[in-house]
């Protein structure tokens, strides 16, 4: 399925309105393009919940970067959940040795999207979504599959998306440079960090 086309259909259907959207944000660089694109059509609140991130210091460092996009792109509200890595390690127990991009990542997607959907439902948002699909390393089909499942469970609309489409990923890298955003070179968890470090060692 072309999730970008699905998103464009919804945008046409809501023309003249501005529904509320709780947008799960993995980091400021990925959020930059998503905000630039979606803020014309939705009343957006960013939701920073990423217990997969390696440390509290890294968590806070990534969160602080949202100030730059608030000042430069739009004055969106950012809700931050407290850092609790134990939620991540409990969820992926037994999957520690999975390759990056496999089952462990899918469980991590669901952990973060479930929390987002629950918050969106509890606070009467019209839609929920995630910036994760902007990354070429993230499985947009799986993200949308999880989103649709949670839409049914919580009875709140999932906004289908594949933000890397239409030059979205490239635009996010351009905005990151223009705004001087801290752009990490790994997803967030210790496993992706180790895999990145191994790749760099192999190149050297």
């Amino acid at each position: 399925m072309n999730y970008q086309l699905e998103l464009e259909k919804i945008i046409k259907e809501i023309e003249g309105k501005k529904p509320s959207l709780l947008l799960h944000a993995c980091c400021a660089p990925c959020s930059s393009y998503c905000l630039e694109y979606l803020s014309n059509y939705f009343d957006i609140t960013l939701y920073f919940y990423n217990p997969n991130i390696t440390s509290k210091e890294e968590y806070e460092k990534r969160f602080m970067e949202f100030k730059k996009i608030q000042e430069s792109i739009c004055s969106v509200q950012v809700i931050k959940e407290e850092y609790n890595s134990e939620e991540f390690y409990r969820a992926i127990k037994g999957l520690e040795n999975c390759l990056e991009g496999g089952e462990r990542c899918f469980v991590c997607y669901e952990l973060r999207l479930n929390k987002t959907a629950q918050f969106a439902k509890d606070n009467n948002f019209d839609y929920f979504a995630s910036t994760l699909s902007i990354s070429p390393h993230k499985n947009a089909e799986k993200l949308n599959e999880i989103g649709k499942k949670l839409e049914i469970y919580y009875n709140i609309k999932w906004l289908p998306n594949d933000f890397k489409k239409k030059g979205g990923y490239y635009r996010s890298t351009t905005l990151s440079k223009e705004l001087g955003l801290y752009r990490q070179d790994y997803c967030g968890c210790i496993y992706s960090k180790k895999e990145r470090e191994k790749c760099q060692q192999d190149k050297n």
Side-chain angles (χ1 to χ4, degrees), residues 57 93 104 139 172 176 183 196 203:
E57 291 74 21
K93 187 173 177 60
R104 185 184 63 239
N139 187 320
S172 74
S176 295
R183 191 177 186 90
R196 173 63 66 180
K203 286 179 182 178

Side-chain angles (χ1 to χ4, degrees), residues 12-29:
K12 284 183 180 178
E13 289 170 2
I14 63 170
E15 193 171 2
K17 304 173 185 177
K18 217 170 185 185
S20 58
L21 167 65
L22 185 68
L23 182 62
H24 167 260
C26 56
C27 62

